Amino acid sequence: MRRDTFLKSLLATTAGAGLGAFSLQAQASTNVKMMIPANPGGGWDTTGRALGKALQDAGVASAVSFENKGGAAGAIGLAQFVNASKGDGNALMVMGAVMLGGIITGKPPVSVTQATPIARLTSEYNVFVVPAASPFKTMKDVVEALKKDPGSVKWGGGSRGSTEHIAAAMLARETGVDATKINYVPFRGGGEAVAAILGNNVSVGGSGWSEFQQYIESGKMRAIAVTSPTRLKGIDVPTMKEQGFNVEIGNWRGVYGAPGITPAQRKALVDMVVKATKSKSWTEALEKNQWTSALLTGKEFEDFVEREFASLRVTMVKAGMI
C-alpha cells in the first residue's frame, strides 16, 4: 500500500472512531424530561419512573427528571406537555388507554394526537379490591347490592373513562343495572385511590395489580376479581368471567414525544426506548408489577392508538357511558 493511501485510510478510520465515540458520548449525556400526567403512586407514575431507570441503565440517558401533573384523565399534564415542549427531542410523556377514555368523555381542548407517538410499553389487566373489613366477599356480592341500589356501591378508581370505570359500567350493563346510575368516584392518582380504599371511603376499588399488590399481600385489601381472560400467573384471584360476568378489558401504557419534533428526533427517542426495554431493570419491573410486555413503536403504535380510540368509543357507548 502506498504511503499516502495508508495515511488517508488511517485518518478515515480515526475520524470514524472519533465520530462514533462522540455519538455515544452525546447519547449518554442526554437529559430526558419525563411528564407523568397523574399524581404520584399510580400506574403511570410507576411506569414512567421504571422507564426512566431503564433508560439510564441502558446507557442512553445520563439523567431523567420527572414532573407529576395529575387531573382530568391526564388532560392537564397533556396540555402542559403539548404547550411547553414543542420541538424538544428529549421530552417524553407517559400515557395510555385511560387518557383516550378521558378524551372521549371529557373532550378537552388539547388532544394526544397533537403530540408524537413513540411506543406502547405494557399491558395490564385490572383487579378489583375491597377493604379488608368489607362485607363483600365476591363480585357476586357486589352485584347483588348493585341490583338492590346502584348508588349504594361506591366505586373508586382512575379518572372518568379509565379502564376500571369502563369495567364497572360493563358489569352494570351485563347484570341489568342502569350504567348511568353507578356511583363512580374518580381519583387523580393511585395514591389517592389507595387511601380511599384503606379508609373505607369507597366500597370497591379498581386499578392494576401493581398498585394494590402490597396491600393485598399484607391483608389490608381483599382482591375479588380480575378483568383478564384467565387468572393472572401466580395470583389466586378469580376472573370476572369465572364468576359469570362477561367483562374483559385490558389497560395498556406507552409514551409520546413532544409536538413538532423531527423524524430524526422521533427515531432517536424510539431507539432509546427500545434499548431501555431490553435492560435488566425493565425486565425486573415487568415481573414485579405483573406487566405484560407489549412493545409497539412508531407508525404501528400511531395506527394502534387510532384503532383504540374507535373501539373504546364503541365499548363506552354500549356500556351506557356516552
Side-chain angles (χ1 to χ4, degrees):
M1 180 183 289
R2 289 173 52 185
R3 184 173 180 274
D4 58 342
T5 305
F6 171 76
L7 287 173
K8 286 179 182 178
S9 175
L10 180 63
L11 284 170
T13 303
T14 305
L19 285 172
F22 175 79
S23 176
L24 286 172
Q25 185 179 14
Q27 189 179 53
S29 64
T30 299
N31 295 318
V32 174
K33 289 166 278 186
M34 187 87 66
M35 163 60 74
I36 301 173
N39 287 354
W44 283 352
D45 187 57
T46 306
T47 300
R49 292 176 190 278
L51 179 61
K53 184 175 186 299
L55 286 166
Q56 291 177 284
D57 287 356
V60 294
S62 58
V64 181
S65 59
F66 304 93
E67 181 174 4
N68 289 82
K69 197 78 176 177
I76 296 174
L78 169 64
Q80 180 175 313
F81 182 76
V82 166
N83 293 324
S85 303
K86 291 176 182 176
D88 188 343
N90 293 333
L92 286 171
M93 179 191 70
V94 183
M95 52 76 68
V98 172
M99 182 173 284
L100 304 193
I103 289 171
I104 292 169
T105 57
K107 300 178 183 178
V110 176
S111 177
V112 71
T113 53
Q114 293 172 250
T116 306
I118 300 299
R120 183 184 68 185
L121 297 170
T122 62
S123 179
E124 181 180 30
Y125 290 102
N126 291 119
V127 58
F128 284 106
V129 299
V130 295
S134 171
F136 298 139
K137 305 300 180 186
T138 67
M139 191 56 76
K140 288 183 179 180
D141 295 338
V142 175
V143 168
E144 286 179 12
L146 269 180
K147 288 181 175 179
K148 290 177 182 176
D149 178 8
S152 68
V153 179
K154 187 182 288 187
W155 300 82
S159 304
R160 293 190 183 280
S162 64
T163 50
E164 54 266 31
H165 186 191
I166 296 171
M170 290 171 71
L171 178 65
R173 183 172 177 270
E174 272 285 307
T175 55
V177 175
D178 184 349
T180 63
K181 292 184 178 179
I182 13 177
N183 185 1
Y184 186 82
V185 182
F187 294 99
R188 294 193 301 173
E192 292 180 9
V194 165
I197 298 163
L198 294 178
N200 292 288
N201 295 315
V202 296
S203 314
V204 184
S207 192
W209 174 264
S210 58
E211 293 185 42
F212 295 150
Q213 182 178 3
Q214 62 175 304
Y215 306 102
I216 295 169
E217 292 177 347
S218 67
K220 294 178 180 178
M221 295 180 185
R222 187 167 60 252
I224 59 172
V226 291
T227 61
S228 52
T230 57
R231 292 195 181 200
L232 299 178
K233 184 179 178 182
I235 297 174
D236 188 25
V237 180
T239 67
M240 295 283 257
K241 288 189 172 182
E242 274 184 73
Q243 298 179 71
F245 311 115
N246 187 29
V247 176
E248 180 187 326
I249 186 169
N251 183 18
W252 58 267
R253 300 186 181 103
V255 284
Y256 265 54
I261 59 175
T262 66
Q265 287 175 313
R266 181 182 186 180
K267 184 180 184 303
L269 283 174
V270 169
D271 290 346
M272 286 172 63
V273 170
V274 169
K275 286 178 182 176
T277 62
K278 294 178 181 177
S279 70
K280 182 181 178 182
S281 72
W282 184 252
T283 301
E284 290 172 347
L286 292 176
E287 293 174 356
K288 176 184 176 183
N289 296 298
Q290 284 284 334
W291 294 336
T292 300
S293 178
L295 187 64
L296 196 65
T297 62
K299 183 66 167 60
E300 290 183 341
F301 176 46
E302 186 174 351
D303 293 342
F304 165 79
V305 172
E306 287 184 12
R307 293 193 301 271
E308 277 289 287
F309 259 122
S311 64
L312 265 178
R313 186 180 295 276
V314 169
T315 299
M316 292 166 81
V317 167
K318 287 182 177 179
M321 295 178 66
I322 54 174

